[in-house]
Amino acid sequence: MTRLRGRGAPSEDGRARRDTKTAHRWRCRGVFAALRRRAERPPRLGWCGVAIAVLTAAAAAIAQDSAPAVTAINGGVRLQAAAGTLEVTVVADSAIRVRFAPRLVAPEPDLVLRPVTAAAGCQVDQTDLRTIRVKAARIEADIDRTSGALTFRDAQGAVLLQELPERRQATKSAIQGRPTLAVQDGFVSPPDEHLFGTGQFQDGQLDVRDLPRRLTQVNTQIAIPLLVSSKGYGLLWHNDGLTELNPADEPIALTRTHLADREENVDVTTTSGTKRETRRATEFAGEFTTPVAGRYAFFLDVGRKMGRRWDVTIDGTPAIAIDNRWVPPTVGWHGELAAGRHQVVVRAEQGDRPTLRFRPAADETVLRSPVADAVDYVVFAGNPDAVIATYRQLTGAARLLPRWAFGYVHCRERFKSQAELLQTAREFRRRGLPLDLIVQDWQYWGRLGWGQPQFDPALYPDPAGMIRELHAARIRFMISVWSKIDHRTPLGRELAAQAYFIPNTDWVDYFNPAAAALYWETLRRNLFSSGVDAWWMDATEPENDDLVGRSTFAGPGELRRDLYPLYATRTVYEGQRQAAPDQRVLILTRSAFAGEQRYGAVAWSGDVGNDWDTLRRQVTAGLGYSVAGMPWWTVDGGGFFRPEQNQYTDAAYRERFIRWFQFVTFCPLQRVHGYQTDTEFWRFGDQVEGEARRYLTLRYRLLPYIYSAAARVSLAGSTLMRPLVMDFAGDERALEEKDEYLFGPALLVSPVFAPAAEKWAVYLPRSPGGWYDFWTGRRRAGGQRIAAPAPLTEIPLQVRAGSIVPLGPVLQYTDQKPADPIELRVYPGADGDFTLYEDDGVTYAYERGVGAMIPLHWDDRRQVLTIGSRTGAFPGMLTTRTFQVVWVRSGHGVGVAETEMPDASIQYSGHPVTVNRARR
């Protein structure tokens, strides 16, 4: 039999060779571009097979009449049958893309997946009469030529994911007169699988296996259609519109009850400012029957409008409840029910008439999009780190944020004048409270009109002078800018005159390059020219699905409804990089989409409450966002909606505030914010200020550790805020934990979200050498649950044995002085490595490889620490420095303070140094 080779892919001896063992094999070989540690490079793809006519003839020669026609295409294979056209292509050495439609057309250019550009290795085999295999270095897809179903395997041939042939559907439809498809696909999900991802949700769930969710963008909810499995694969559902995950389709009829409606007036934030709203509470009741006892999935939809609260009871038992001034309009959950008839009650405030659906639990994962161009998804092989690294290879590397972004970020709603903002900044410096970034929230535009990106001179007479004073005090400045602009403002009139709004809305149509250019030019002229350092892009999701039923420059809004925040942040990122090419961009955004990591964007969890349950739900919300490939995230520390003036004297709130701040210390950005609140620590009394100072000091001491871990995010596709699946996928008990996580490679964080806690249940994952208590140095074995000490002064914090944690000096701001000396805390019990990374912290020179790395290795058997040769350099780098080495043990090398008596003091000049513990 003849083996056809791809163009430019010579055999080992440089000649085409005959393969007598394998029938109908077509090869192309090449080297995939690996993820570059210093810069992005698009994935490279070659041609699998060169003689399409020969391939098609060969396939036809063995095909049964009912089998699809098979054609070689660039990077893979196309199968054409009566039901539609299926394309399976290699897009990276561990990723395969699948597209299916009745009439498959070339995908339109989009901003999620970057184009595959040049030669890559792939192999297409006709393994037997029934199966075609598309293979890359670390993943392969078997296509059943009869059913069309796909089975994905790893490089060793183990099954990763199986498509359910009956679940793949693509039904012709139309939206706003444009032909479209309603699509769906489904995959086997074994009972012992754990699935994570889909973005930031407020339902308190981390494991989304069999969980119904609606992927749309609303305040407090961010949809990212990436799933990561404990079984060693990831799946990106490549669709920009609404997507239903594991939909529940069986309706439960609800009837409004005789309960009298209740009304309540509340102040809320809207995209038109603070408003007084009347919220109406309603109650609906219904019943349903379960044929057998077991686990059931439920999905509640209260309509397009967000509400304040809703709760559901089944047979008088609470099923789920969320209370906030803004509640996402949909939520899914599971419940164990006996067979028979059940009574359900839904209570809701605001929103439309609720609908409730259910279904039995199922061993499958289903994705459904009502508006799409095709069934379109990418499967990745590998552990969660590998999945996310390849996802970023295909969608863009995460930009490294400026170093000062990892210091303290101070927000309040809001500074009302230039004088007020400057006085607050001066007070931080006077009190010696660390601060790197101060934030001006909305309405600084004053009389100029809603959303106008310009200071009202009556309130801010000299913005450039204000920012110069901040810079002199080594404080950076962030300002809030909006995507919703009043048509009567100067910018609004200009946008309207050019038809640059999404029709019949106040939302800028960023899909239109000219509209985006005008928006950025206004920001540049009015704000950036005054010295603005960073951008707070509030409300980057058209609330209440404002794109539905409207046309955008990129087509019907339904097609692009989840994509809007990506275009919003792209506008500002690309604008600033053009205006100041070497100044790192920092954008705080309320919404995001797949690929947004490449625009210097940090999401926060929106306008959330302050209670204990809300705090708990922020932990899972952030972990769900991070494991969906989005590394930069934060919250409104202390909660956005607060108990108003009582917060300053309410002991219960002060306790909650301290616990919130402990949590945000171990978020990618450390930040507070609050509605109608002066959020400064000293306003809450000495206890809060004292504890805030302690955790600010810890955050700044950890900067060498945090910034090095952040560099791995950008240079190696890593993740800073790590759900336990990322490091302990083989530990079943760890996979069930949804409220603790690793912050970087070493620190196990367990936020406290209950009052008056003295002890806190913490699961220590199975890990060689066990875990150390950060505060005491006590060492415990992994694989057990402990009652960790949790006084109000301490967040439960464990350190993995084998870790090397660098801590810098006490600082007031990140660039106050170089990180010298550095205390290296070594946690014996297992071998370990850490790479200390440094660069100038403010430019994009790191993309050109301008930075320095110092490898650190702990050999536990020999009890030797090796500080390796420094590689790389950057302007201003310390050529010599001091490392204070501390071997952590009970009572030694613990807590926030510098260790008074280090075990060794090492003068380092870039050459290897070894430190033997036994000789000290």
Side-chain angles (χ1 to χ4, degrees), residues 632-831:
W632 309 130
W633 183 85
T634 187
V635 297
D636 288 347
F640 181 67
F641 293 115
R642 299 180 174 204
E644 298 178 354
Q645 294 304 311
N646 293 338
Q647 65 187 287
Y648 304 112
T649 56
D650 183 350
Y653 178 74
R654 290 200 297 257
E655 179 188 8
R656 293 199 300 278
F657 182 86
I658 290 171
R659 293 301 194 187
W660 272 87
F661 196 65
Q662 290 172 352
F663 168 52
V664 301
T665 299
F666 299 96
C667 290
L669 263 65
Q670 183 192 42
R671 171 178 172 270
V672 300
H673 189 45
Y675 180 51
Q676 297 182 337
T677 301
D678 296 344
T679 55
E680 293 75 39
F681 305 113
W682 55 85
R683 303 185 190 280
F684 297 86
D686 292 343
Q687 182 188 31
V688 170
E689 182 178 356
E691 289 306 309
R693 185 186 306 276
R694 188 164 184 250
Y695 281 87
L696 287 166
T697 301
L698 176 57
R699 174 78 178 198
Y700 278 74
R701 289 213 66 209
L702 281 169
L703 275 171
Y705 171 82
I706 294 171
Y707 193 66
S708 297
R712 282 192 54 78
V713 170
S714 295
L715 302 177
S718 185
T719 297
L720 182 57
M721 192 174 179
R722 305 172 63 82
L724 298 187
V725 67
M726 302 198 73
D727 297 270
F728 308 102
D731 186 340
E732 179 65 24
R733 291 175 67 184
L735 295 177
E736 295 171 353
E737 292 296 323
K738 61 182 181 180
D739 302 320
E740 58 185 63
Y741 60 96
L742 283 185
F743 187 63
L747 303 178
L748 180 67
V749 183
S750 304
V752 174
F753 40 80
E758 291 297 329
K759 299 283 187 180
W760 195 250
V762 172
Y763 177 69
L764 302 178
R766 295 199 303 267
S767 184
W771 298 85
Y772 288 78
D773 188 308
F774 176 82
W775 304 104
T776 67
R778 179 181 176 181
R779 183 174 164 191
R780 298 179 176 89
Q784 63 170 323
R785 188 173 299 280
I786 65 169
L792 186 56
T793 57
E794 294 178 5
I795 183 173
L797 187 63
Q798 319 299 319
V799 189
R800 182 160 35 177
S803 296
I804 305 167
V805 178
L807 292 93
V810 176
L811 300 173
Q812 288 295 294
Y813 45 92
T814 54
D815 58 354
Q816 183 178 6
K817 60 180 179 178
D820 188 55
I822 285 181
E823 180 178 327
L824 293 179
R825 292 189 182 177
V826 181
Y827 294 81
D831 291 349

Side-chain angles (χ1 to χ4, degrees), residues 282-309:
T282 55
E283 182 179 277
F284 296 81
E287 65 179 28
F288 63 100
T289 301
T290 54
V292 296
R295 195 169 192 239
Y296 286 83
F298 295 86
F299 184 73
L300 175 67
D301 182 355
V302 298
R304 282 175 59 180
K305 281 192 173 183
M306 298 182 71
R308 180 178 183 184
R309 68 169 65 96

Side-chain angles (χ1 to χ4, degrees), residues 203-205 207 209-213 246 248 252 288 295-302 310-314 317-322 330-337 344-346 355-361:
D203 54 23
Q205 301 300 312
D207 189 337
R209 181 184 180 272
D210 189 45
L211 180 71
R213 272 185 175 171
N246 302 320
I252 299 174
F288 63 100
R295 195 169 192 239
Y296 286 83
F298 295 86
F299 184 73
L300 175 67
D301 182 355
V302 298
W310 41 252
D311 65 78
V312 181
T313 59
I314 298 176
T317 301
I320 191 167
I322 296 183
T330 63
V331 69
W333 73 94
H334 290 111
E336 296 284 343
L337 295 175
V344 62
V345 175
V346 178
T355 60
L356 182 63
R357 297 178 181 273
F358 80 110
R359 59 165 172 78

Side-chain angles (χ1 to χ4, degrees), residues 83-142:
T85 301
L86 173 69
E87 289 184 351
V88 181
T89 55
V90 172
V91 291
D93 65 356
S94 61
I96 288 177
R97 183 177 182 181
V98 176
R99 299 184 74 243
F100 171 80
R103 179 179 173 273
L104 195 60
V105 296
E108 295 181 3
D110 71 86
L111 277 180
V112 176
L113 291 175
R114 300 164 65 223
V116 177
T117 59
C122 62
Q123 177 178 313
V124 178
D125 298 336
Q126 179 81 43
T127 61
D128 53 42
L129 294 182
R130 182 172 178 174
T131 306
I132 296 172
R133 176 170 296 163
V134 178
K135 186 175 182 179
R138 291 187 287 165
I139 190 172
E140 59 188 47
D142 288 350

Side-chain angles (χ1 to χ4, degrees), residues 543-676:
E543 61 186 5
N544 298 324
D545 286 328
D546 275 359
L547 294 188
V548 174
R550 295 182 171 94
S551 179
T552 75
F553 187 83
E558 289 85 347
L559 275 172
R560 306 291 179 240
R561 64 200 288 180
D562 281 359
L563 195 61
Y564 186 90
L566 183 76
Y567 275 74
T569 53
R570 175 202 185 198
T571 295
V572 172
Y573 172 84
E574 292 185 347
Q576 182 178 317
R577 286 216 68 169
Q578 183 176 13
D582 224 17
Q583 179 179 330
R584 290 189 202 172
V585 179
L586 175 63
I587 297 172
L588 187 63
T589 173
R590 201 171 74 183
S591 193
F593 195 62
E596 199 152 331
Q597 72 277 352
R598 63 182 182 256
Y599 295 135
V602 183
W604 93 98
S605 62
D607 299 344
V608 299
N610 69 83
D611 58 275
W612 293 112
D613 186 57
T614 298
L615 172 56
R616 176 188 66 84
R617 287 186 274 107
Q618 300 324 293
V619 180
T620 53
L623 295 178
Y625 185 78
S626 293
V627 78
M630 310 298 287
W632 309 130
W633 183 85
T634 187
V635 297
D636 288 347
F640 181 67
F641 293 115
R642 299 180 174 204
E644 298 178 354
Q645 294 304 311
N646 293 338
Q647 65 187 287
Y648 304 112
T649 56
D650 183 350
Y653 178 74
R654 290 200 297 257
E655 179 188 8
R656 293 199 300 278
F657 182 86
I658 290 171
R659 293 301 194 187
W660 272 87
F661 196 65
Q662 290 172 352
F663 168 52
V664 301
T665 299
F666 299 96
C667 290
L669 263 65
Q670 183 192 42
R671 171 178 172 270
V672 300
H673 189 45
Y675 180 51
Q676 297 182 337

